[in-house]
C-alpha cells in the first residue's frame, strides 16, 4: 500500500485523492493522477537474487506537477487541476511518453533518465559561470561522467482550447500517431505532433440545448483497427463508429443497447443505466461496459444484448433512494480486463472491489484496506448480507461505508498484478501463485 500524501489513515486531504490509475504497455511502469494535478509514476523492481520477493514491488520512480488550477476569465469559471485520465504511448526509445488531461487541457509528457553529465566545457566553469574569453588558451573536449540517476519529466506538447465541456476520456489510436479526446457532447481527433488544431469527429450537441437528452460518458479506440472507436452515453447505449464511412461520425455503424425490462422500471432506471466506462478487450473481439449496478460484456458482432451481465452490488438496489440523496448514485466506476481477457475487475463501496472469472463464472469480493492488506498476507473474500439473518463473516448492507469507494482500478497487461486506488491510497496486489 502506498499513501500518496494526506493524513495517514484519517480523512484524506482533497488534493491527494487518486483520480486515475494506468499501467504502461509493458506493465513495468504504473502512473497515478490525483485531484491536486500531480502525476506519480511507480516502477517495478527487477528480479533480485538476494531479495527473491522484490520482483513485483513497485517503488516511486518520478513525481511531477502535470496541471495547475486555472481561471477562465471569459466564462468566470475555475478550471480544476484534477487529472481525469492518463494514457501511455507505446515505447519507441529509451524515454517514456504519456498523455494526461484535466477538464480542458491535454499534455504530452516525456519521462527520461539521466545518469551522465558533461564536464570540461570550454566557455563555462564547472559551476556554470561563463569564462573570460581571453583566459581560454586551449581547446578542451568535454567528457561524460557518471552521476546519480535523475528522472526528468518535461512537457513536450500542450493540446488546449478544443473542448467547451469537461474532458472525460482520452484514447491513443493503434496507429500510434493520433488520439481522441471526448467531452460531454463532442469527440475530437488529434495528431500527436499537431497542437493547434484537432478534428471534430462526433458532435451530439443539439441546436437547442433544451432538447439535450444524453451526454457522452466515455470513448475509446479499438486496440487493432485504427478506424474504429466506441463511445457510451448516459442513456446506457454504446455507439461504434467507423471513420472510413465519413469525416463526421454522427451516424454510428453499430448501436449496442440492452432492451429494458418494463417490470423493473423505476424512478432511478435512467440514472443507474448510465454507462460510466467502456473498454475494449485486448483481443478487440469484445467490449465491456460499466453501469451503476453491473458490468456487461458485449460481443462486437451482437448488438441486441450483452453476452454476459455480472452484478457488482445488486444488494444496493433497495438502497437507491438514499444513494440518490447523498449523490453516490452518480459515482463513475471504471472497469478493466486482465491480460488474457478471461477476467474482469471493477470497484464498489466500503473499499470493496469485484473480480469476475469469465470462464468459470465465479466471482469474488475483496477489500483494499490497511487492516486487511498487510504485506504478503492473503486477501480474504468478503460477503455482504442483503437481508435476513447475517452470518458471522458477513457484513450488513447498512454498515457499508459509502465514502470509501474504489472508482479506479488497473490490471497489469501480462501478469496477475492489479492496482486499486482507494481514496488517497494505492494498493498493489499480486497473485499468490507468483
Amino acid at each position: 500500500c502506498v499513501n500518496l500524501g494526506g493524513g495517514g489513515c484519517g480523512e484524506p486531504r482533497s488534493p491527494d485523492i487518486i483520480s486515475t490509475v494506468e499501467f504502461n504497455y509493458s506493465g513495468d511502469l504504473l502512473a497515478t493522477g490525483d485531484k491536486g494535478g500531480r502525476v506519480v509514476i511507480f516502477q517495478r523492481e527487477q528480479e533480485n537474487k538476494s531479495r527473491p520477493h522484490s520482483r513485483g514491488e513497485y517503488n516511486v520512480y518520478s513525481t511531477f506537477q502535470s496541471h495547475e488550477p486555472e481561471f477562465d476569465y471569459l466564462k468566470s469559471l475555475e478550471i480544476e487541476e484534477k487529472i481525469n485520465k492518463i494514457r501511455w504511448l507505446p515505447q519507441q526509445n529509451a524515454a517514456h511518453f504519456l498523455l494526461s488531461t484535466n477538464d480542458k487541457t491535454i499534455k504530452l509528457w516525456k519521462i527520461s533518465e539521466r545518469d551522465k553529465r558533461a564536464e570540461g566545457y570550454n566557455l563555462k566553469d564547472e559551476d556554470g559561470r561563463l569564462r573570460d574569453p581571453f583566459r581560454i588558451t586551449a581547446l578542451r573536449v568535454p567528457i561524460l561522467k557518471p552521476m546519480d540517476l535523475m528522472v526528468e519529466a518535461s512537457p513536450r506538447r500542450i493540446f488546449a482550447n478544443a473542448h467547451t465541456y469537461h474532458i472525460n476520456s482520452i484514447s491513443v489510436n493503434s496507429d500510434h500517431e493520433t488520439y481522441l479526446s471526448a467531452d460531454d457532447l463532442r469527440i475530437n481527433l488529434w495528431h500527436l505532433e499537431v497542437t493547434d488544431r484537432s478534428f471534430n469527429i462526433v458532435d451530439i450537441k443539439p441546436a437547442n440545448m433544451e432538447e439535450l437528452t444524453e451526454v457522452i460518458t466515455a470513448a475509446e479506440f479499438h486496440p487493432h483497427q485504427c478506424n474504429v472507436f466506441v463511445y457510451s452515453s448516459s442513456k446506457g447505449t454504446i455507439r461504434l463508429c467507423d471513420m472510413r464511412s465519413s469525416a463526421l461520425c454522427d451516424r454510428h455503424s453499430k448501436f449496442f443497447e440492452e432492451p429494458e425490462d418494463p417490470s423493473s422500471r423505476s424512478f432511478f432506471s435512467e440514472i443507474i443505466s448510465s454507462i460510466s466506462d467502456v473498454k475494449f478487450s485486448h483481443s478487440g473481439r469484445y467490449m465491456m461496459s460499466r453501469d451503476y449496478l453491473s458490468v456487461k460484456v458485449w460481443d462486437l458482432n451482437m448488438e441486441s444484448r450483452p453476452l454476459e451481465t455480472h452484478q457488482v452490488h445488486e444488494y444496493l438496489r433497495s438502497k437507491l433512494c438514499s444513494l440518490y440523496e447523498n449523490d453516490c448514485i452518480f459515482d463513475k466506476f471504471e472497469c478493466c480486463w486482465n491480460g488474457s481477457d478471461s477476467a474482469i475487475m471493477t470497484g464498489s463501496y466500503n473499499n470493496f472491489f469485484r473480480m469476475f472469472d469469465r470462464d468459470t463464472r465465479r466471482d469474488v469480493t475483496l477489500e483494499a484496506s490497511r487492516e486487511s492488506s498487510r504485506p504478503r498476507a492473503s486477501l480474504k473474500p468478503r460477503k455482504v448480507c442483503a437481508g435476513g439473518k447475517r452470518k458471522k463473516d458477513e457484513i450488513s448492507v447498512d454498515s457499508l461505508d459509502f465514502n470509501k469507494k474504489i472508482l479506479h482500478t488497473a490490471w497489469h497487461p501480462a501478469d496477475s498484478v492489479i492496482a486499486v486506488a482507494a481514496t488517497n491510497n494505492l494498493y498493489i496486489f499480486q497473485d499468490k501463485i507468483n
Side-chain angles (χ1 to χ4, degrees), residues 307-310 356-363:
L307 206 59
E308 304 160 20
T309 301
H310 303 278
F356 302 93
D357 189 311
R358 297 180 58 216
D359 299 331
T360 61
R361 295 293 169 140
R362 283 172 33 205
D363 62 271

Side-chain angles (χ1 to χ4, degrees), residues 276 288-296 309-317 333-336 344-349 352-356 363-366 382-384 400 406 409:
S276 54
M288 161 171 57
S289 65
R290 172 73 155 95
D291 57 43
Y292 190 65
L293 293 178
S294 67
V295 61
K296 293 169 182 164
T309 301
H310 303 278
Q311 299 303 333
V312 178
H313 36 219
E314 184 62 21
Y315 46 79
L316 294 182
R317 197 175 282 277
F333 292 95
E334 294 172 8
C335 50
C336 59
I344 55 184
M345 171 172 62
T346 191
S348 180
Y349 292 105
F352 288 171
F353 59 98
R354 303 270 284 134
M355 300 172 96
F356 302 93
D363 62 271
V364 67
T365 303
L366 300 169
R382 306 301 302 262
K383 283 195 170 59
V384 177
L400 293 175
I406 290 178
T409 57

